[in-house]
Each structure stands twice: as C-alpha cells, then as structure tokens.
Amino acid sequence: MLQSMRDNLKGTAAIIVAGFFGFIMVIGGIDFFTGASGGAADEVAEVNGEKITNLDLQRAIQNRRNMIMSQYGDNAPADLLTDERLRGPVLQQLVNSSVLRQAAQDSGMVMSAATVDRETVQIPAFQVNGKFNPQMFRDSLRRMGYSPASFRQVMERDLVLQQYADSVSGTAFATRANAEQIVEISMEERDFDYVVLPVAGMLDGIEVGDSEVQEYYEQHQAQFQRPEQVAIEYIELKPEVFAENIDVSPSDVRAQYEQEAKGFLASERRRAAHILLEDADDARIAEIQAKIEAGEDFAGLAKEYSDDFGSSEEGGDLGFTDGDVFPEAFEDALAKLEVGQVSGPVTTDAGTHFIKLLEVEGAEPPTFEEREAAITAQLRNAEAEREFVAALGRLADLAYNAETLAGPAEELGVPLQQVPLFGREGGPGIAANDKVVAAAFAPEVMLDGNTSDVLNLTEDHSVVLRVTEHKPAGTYPLQEVREQIVDLLKRDKASAQLAKTAGEIGEQLRSGKPFAEVAEERELALETSDKTRRGGVGQRGEIIEQAFAMPAPAGGNEVVKTFGTNTGDQVVLQLRDVRAGDLSRQSPEQRSALLQQLASMTGSAELAAVQSYLAEQADIELVEASD
C-alpha cells in the first residue's frame, strides 16, 4: 500500500505541496477540523459512516472567515467571506481531516489526557501575558460554542490527527543527489561585463511632431482607455472616533476601582505542579511518596519520574487555574493545599498525580495607582462604545436623502472625509475595502445620487457614503495623455539611435577587441559582474535575466549580446564564464538546511498523497445543500 501511495508523488505535483491543512492551535485564527457531532445534527457529509454535521461545517466556516479577516483586517474581500464561497473548500477540508483522523485511529494512535491538558494551557489565545487565563479560556469557548468537555474531545482528536500527519511527513528525506541537482541550477554563477547606453541624455535633443503624436494616439487607443471612476465623500463611525473627546471623572475611576476590589478575592488563582504516573503500580507510587515526605526536591522528582513530558522538564509546572482547568479530583486536591504543600496520590483519567501548590495569585487586590490608567481607559472605551452605538442608530436617518453628508457629519460630531477618483479595482484608504467599492458603484448610488446604506465593515466599524463625481469609462482625451505619448516617442527614437551604436560595439567585441578599451574610447562605464546568481530587481534584474538566457561560452570565446531595457536604454553584454552550482562548495550548515528544506517539501507532498489515497479508498457521501 505504501508503494501505491508513493507512486502518486511522481511528477511535478511532488515538487511543492505546502499548507495542506491547519491544526487547531489558535482560536479564531486557524480552522477547526473537528469531526465532532452534536447540536445542529443535520448531516452534510458522511465519511466511512462517520457523520459531519451542519454544526461542524458552520464552526469551520466561521473559523475560516475569522482567519481571512485577521489576515486582511478591514480590507477583507467581501466575496471571500460568504458562506457560498467558503462552504465547498471548508467541507472538503473537513472530509480530508476525517479520513486522516480515521486512519490514525485505525493505526492505534491515542493522546493522553495529560498531553491534551498541556497543549490546551499552551494555546496563546487562552493566555494573558504569556500565562494561561481560565477566564479567557471560558470566554473563547463560549464564543465558539464549545463546553470544556466538548473542546477536550476536539483537542484530543485533532492532536491525534497531527500525530498521524507528523508520522507521515516526518519520515520523508532528501538524497544528496536531489540536493546536487537543485544546487546546480539555483546556485549557478555567471561572470560577465556590460555597458549601458542611456537614453536620458538624448531626450532633450529629440523632436516629436504633432502629427506623430496624433498618429500614435489613434493607433494605440487600447493604451489610453479610462476605466469607470467615482469620487466619494463618507462618514466613518468607530468607537475610537468618540473616545478622543471623552473625559473620565476621577470619582468614576475611584468608584470602579472600589467595585473591582470588593470582588477581587473571588478571582483567586492557584499555580500547580505535578508528577504524573500514567500506569504506576503501588510500589512506584510508594517510592515517590516516600521521597516527597523525606523532603526531596519536587521539581527534580518531576524531571525523573513524571510521564507528562511537557511539564516534567519545567519541574512539573502546569501554570495557573481558577478551579476549572484540570479534572475535578485534581482541582479538589489542589484547593486543599497550602503554598509549598504536596498532596498524596490523586487519581484521574490521566493517571496518578502528586500535586504541589506553587503559589496563589490574587489574594491582595492591586493598588488604585496600579489600576488607575487601565480603569480610565476602560471607562472611556465603554462610553465611546455607547456613543458609537447611539450615533450608528441615528446615522441612517440623518444620511437618508441628504444632498451632502456635511450636515449629518456635523450633527454626529465626526469629520466628513473624501476619496478622489478611483475605479472598480479600488482606491486609497477606505476605498480599498470591497464593500465600499461595491456600494460606490451600485447604480442607485453612482447614477441616481442616493446615499448608500450603512455599511458595517466590522462589528465596530461602519461607513455611509455618497458619490460626488462620476466619470464613465472611455478613452482619455489626447490632451491628458499628450506628454506621455511624447515621452514614449522620444524614447523610441533615442533607443533606435543607441541600438546602432550598441551594434557597432558588439561587432568590435566579436572581432576580439578588449571590452575595457572599447568602453574607454566611447567614454562608457564598464560594469563587471562576477559570481552573479539569478535574480535582481529593476534594470539590474533585466540585465541578469538576459545574461542567464545566453548560451555558455565555448572554446574560450566570450558570447556577446545587445538588447534594450524597459526604459529604452541599450545594453551591450559580454558573457565570459558559466559555472554550475556545486553542493560541495556550500558550508555544512547550508547543506544541512537545504536537505531539511527538501525533506520538508517531500514530506508535505507525501502527506498530500496519503490523504488522496485514503480519500480514494473511503466511502464518502456529500449531502447537497438545501435551498
């Protein structure tokens, strides 16, 4: 079977397969490929008898949407966020994940409860200042529609999936022959000399007649097409627009602090460490308990005995909990300990624990001075949010049928802003947002002069706009493009004159005259480029591209080429030597990095092939979406 799967890697498809799928490591950023059922039980697919429900699909769609919005911000393309656009590819990802996860289960892969707990507390989205925060954990799960128990199931399944994927991609390797072939091409070096004959110094002496300009304009109409354009004015509402003008009363700050202080003790958190024995017998438990009672260092014992490899190197440190992060028996035992005290054996589904209370945080509230700035900002933002909501409620009525948005902007106390002419591809600032572009070019706004509906770009960012100028698509008039045409014609004439000179220089070089001597006679700067590799930008990039397109010199004779650049300059280039890349000339570190990169690429390709093979063998049934 493995050979059959590897056969799928032949050809160009095996070169690079990257970004095959993501794992659930950041809430709201990376897709959940859960396969967990429950809630909205309508079936959207079935993979080898395992159902993928509509709830699974909707969660995955929302997380893909969150990922796109985090990448693009306010400028997220609206058409990429619709359920219709996301449903197909996201459902396919769920199916892909399902067949891999089933393969992992069939192979006997499991994930311990301790590993799930360890990975959970290390998720950045659940942390504040680098530490696990139970409140952040609960809030995030609530937004996602998960309970702690259902989330634990999701984590366990996807960690098993990741383990299976790693077992495939992590076994890939690249041979030295593979690396040598790539290095021969990618690190090829060429030695060449060249001169540039610039057009810039000749332009002032070139004459272009009106008839030439008119003829060029008539023969190249396609170059001077003007897209349909609009200019807009708009009102933008965001909480921060109002926050700038809000003064917070010191008495309100003090009152909020006192309210926080009263409830502060309820937020007490405990930091735990443990020694986990997954399959311990009574003798081993007794051995460790005896060492603890004898006063041996708990962190050292954790490193020596604990089966929780994630925390053992940290002395068993698991971070903070406010009472509902760890299993109930674990939390009950921890709550009874004093700082520095170690429990007796505690049994959970993960195994047997010895638990130590490292510290208690939150026993004393912070001082007013420590909290003053944060509370002030909190109250200011809360008031700004209220003003934002109130203004948003009035915006549609104020802007409706307004001949200009100046009045509504003044009444709401926000600035009226403008964007100059832009096309359907978007423009600067707010005009880069697809929703704004779509509204500006809507017929009722662009042609009828109506104000747009209120556009909710994000949860706390809204815009209303009017078109102030509309230019239909057409051809730019000659007077607007005349200077552009004159410059083009001057460059063409100057370049044609220089091409003759470049040809003469090329003939001199081919006849054996030294390049340095030719350049000196013509007062040109001779540029030498040794050990040159592919790549480059601007004119230098054009020259290198031409150098690498030339045949290698044969019999000790240099190869000469003349060509024009995009700006009209002429170049005479003499290629002296070509050397294939040599892996042996790379440092050990470079060779190692290259082999690792090639192995990673091969691993990604093999993982994609395994998934494709499993999908071909699987019984997959997709349920058509109902209208």
Side-chain angles (χ1 to χ4, degrees):
M1 185 183 77
L2 182 59
Q3 183 58 47
S4 174
M5 293 188 289
R6 289 181 183 271
D7 287 343
N8 290 325
L9 297 176
K10 306 291 186 183
T12 58
I15 296 176
I16 298 178
V17 181
F20 171 55
F21 56 78
F23 295 103
I24 130 191
M25 288 295 109
V26 181
I27 293 293
I30 301 178
D31 296 331
F32 275 122
F33 303 139
T34 65
S37 300
D42 293 342
E43 184 179 333
V44 295
E46 188 171 303
V47 182
N48 292 327
E50 179 184 285
K51 293 181 179 180
I52 298 176
T53 70
N54 188 54
L55 176 60
D56 300 328
L57 179 59
Q58 292 307 313
R59 281 174 172 167
I61 288 174
Q62 184 57 45
N63 279 277
R64 177 68 65 85
R65 185 179 291 118
N66 290 343
M67 181 179 66
I68 294 172
M69 292 179 67
S70 69
Q71 178 180 356
Y72 288 94
D74 291 351
N75 297 323
D79 64 328
L80 293 184
L81 302 177
T82 64
D83 281 6
E84 293 77 11
R85 181 72 174 267
L86 294 174
R87 188 183 193 278
V90 169
L91 179 57
Q92 187 59 55
Q93 288 283 35
L94 289 173
V95 171
N96 291 346
S97 297
S98 183
V99 296
L100 285 174
R101 185 172 52 253
Q102 291 174 19
Q105 293 169 346
D106 292 344
S107 66
M109 289 185 175
V110 295
M111 195 62 57
S112 70
T115 300
V116 174
D117 289 340
R118 182 180 70 247
E119 294 296 334
T120 299
V121 300
Q122 291 176 355
I123 293 176
F126 299 155
Q127 296 178 349
V128 175
N129 296 326
K131 294 183 178 180
F132 179 81
N133 184 285
Q135 186 61 48
M136 184 73 72
F137 172 72
R138 289 193 297 269
D139 290 346
S140 297
L141 295 196
R142 193 181 305 111
R143 287 194 298 270
M144 295 300 304
Y146 285 95
S147 67
S150 63
F151 180 76
R152 174 185 286 270
Q153 289 181 331
V154 170
M155 281 290 293
E156 182 178 357
R157 289 175 178 178
D158 285 348
L159 287 171
V160 169
L161 171 59
Q162 182 176 358
Q163 180 177 249
Y164 181 81
D166 289 345
S167 73
V168 176
S169 60
T171 60
F173 62 91
T175 66
R176 184 181 178 89
N178 296 146
E180 287 175 344
Q181 291 173 348
I182 291 176
V183 167
E184 283 180 4
I185 299 173
S186 64
M187 296 185 181
E188 178 184 304
E189 294 180 346
R190 296 196 167 204
D191 300 337
F192 56 89
D193 304 312
Y194 66 94
V195 294
V196 177
L197 286 65
V199 298
M202 302 178 61
L203 297 181
D204 291 341
I206 303 288
E207 296 292 334
V208 175
D210 291 342
S211 60
E212 294 177 278
V213 174
Q214 182 70 41
E215 182 181 2
Y216 187 93
Y217 176 73
E218 292 175 355
Q219 292 180 358
H220 297 83
Q221 291 285 292
Q223 293 183 19
F224 307 114
Q225 293 302 301
R226 179 185 63 205
E228 188 172 29
Q229 295 177 309
V230 295
I232 63 171
E233 63 179 14
Y234 66 97
I235 294 173
E236 183 177 34
L237 296 184
K238 295 189 290 187
E240 51 262 39
V241 172
F242 300 96
E244 298 173 357
N245 300 318
I246 294 175
D247 294 324
V248 177
S249 166
S251 60
D252 290 341
V253 177
R254 174 67 68 174
Q256 178 65 28
Y257 169 75
E258 291 175 355
Q259 183 177 345
E260 285 186 5
K262 289 179 182 178
F264 189 81
L265 291 179
S267 64
E268 182 174 273
R269 303 193 308 158
R270 293 171 175 261
R271 183 180 173 196
H274 77 151
I275 298 170
L276 172 66
L277 308 176
E278 291 186 342
D279 297 303
D281 53 29
D282 291 342
R284 191 166 180 233
I285 293 174
E287 176 188 349
I288 295 172
Q289 186 163 16
K291 291 188 176 184
I292 292 173
E293 291 174 352
E296 291 195 27
D297 178 56
F298 187 87
L301 293 175
K303 291 181 179 180
E304 181 179 355
Y305 289 101
S306 182
D307 292 327
D308 182 358
F309 300 110
S311 68
S312 61
E313 291 302 313
E314 303 297 327
D317 192 348
L318 294 172
F320 284 93
T321 174
D322 65 352
D324 61 0
V325 173
F326 305 118
E328 184 177 354
F330 190 109
E331 295 282 4
D332 288 345
L334 181 64
K336 297 174 183 176
L337 299 176
E338 300 293 333
V339 174
Q341 188 177 3
V342 181
S343 74
V346 176
T347 302
T348 70
D349 291 341
T352 301
H353 308 260
F354 290 95
I355 305 167
K356 181 177 182 179
L357 178 60
L358 299 178
E359 65 176 298
V360 177
E361 184 181 83
E364 294 294 333
T367 66
F368 175 74
E369 289 72 19
E370 291 172 334
R371 289 288 298 151
E372 182 178 12
I375 292 175
T376 300
Q378 175 185 334
L379 294 177
R380 179 180 291 111
N381 291 338
E383 180 61 27
E385 184 69 30
R386 285 190 287 270
E387 291 193 18
F388 164 75
V389 172
L392 188 59
R394 301 175 59 202
L395 179 59
D397 290 337
L398 291 172
Y400 182 70
N401 280 342
E403 293 185 3
T404 173
L405 295 179
E410 182 178 0
E411 188 159 345
L412 293 172
V414 297
L416 178 64
Q417 303 181 70
Q418 290 87 25
V419 179
L421 287 168
F422 61 91
R424 293 179 184 272
E425 73 281 359
I430 199 87
N433 186 284
D434 283 2
K435 290 183 180 179
V436 171
V437 174
F441 282 90
E444 63 272 16
V445 176
M446 178 177 65
L447 301 178
D448 298 340
N450 295 329
T451 302
S452 74
D453 292 335
V454 176
L455 309 176
N456 296 314
L457 304 186
T458 65
E459 189 175 296
D460 56 1
H461 185 191
S462 298
V463 168
V464 67
L465 62 88
R466 286 187 73 257
V467 169
T468 57
E469 184 180 0
H470 170 228
K471 282 192 174 184
T475 304
Y476 285 105
L478 177 57
Q479 59 268 27
E480 289 189 28
V481 297
R482 179 180 177 80
E483 289 187 9
Q484 177 184 345
I485 295 174
V486 168
D487 182 71
L488 285 170
L489 293 175
K490 283 186 174 183
R491 287 182 178 275
D492 285 347
K493 289 184 175 183
S495 187
Q497 293 179 22
L498 290 175
K500 295 179 181 179
T501 304
E504 294 170 0
I505 295 174
E507 288 304 317
Q508 288 181 291
L509 299 179
R510 293 185 185 96
S511 67
K513 193 167 185 178
F515 207 165
E517 184 177 330
V518 175
E520 184 178 0
E521 288 177 355
R522 296 178 180 267
E523 298 182 347
L524 295 171
L526 180 63
E527 302 289 345
T528 296
S529 186
D530 289 337
K531 298 182 179 179
T532 308
R533 291 182 180 174
R534 300 173 189 271
V537 296
Q539 188 176 81
R540 169 71 175 173
E542 291 183 66
I543 293 170
I544 292 175
E545 182 179 0
Q546 291 285 346
F548 274 85
M550 297 169 65
N557 296 318
E558 293 88 352
V559 180
V560 177
K561 184 176 187 179
T562 63
F563 57 91
T565 68
N566 291 334
T567 61
D569 293 346
Q570 289 289 322
V571 178
V572 182
L573 187 150
Q574 185 176 63
L575 179 62
R576 292 183 276 106
D577 192 18
V578 175
R579 292 178 300 279
D582 187 348
L583 184 64
S584 64
R585 295 209 304 265
Q586 310 305 311
S587 69
E589 293 78 10
Q590 289 174 319
R591 290 196 295 270
S592 176
L594 177 61
L595 289 169
Q596 288 179 7
Q597 184 178 8
L598 292 175
S600 177
M601 292 161 58
T602 303
S604 296
E606 292 199 3
L607 180 58
V610 168
Q611 184 277 319
S612 178
Y613 176 85
L614 293 173
E616 289 175 3
Q617 304 302 311
D619 181 10
I620 300 173
E621 181 180 349
L622 301 180
V623 179
E624 293 293 332
S626 58
D627 295 332

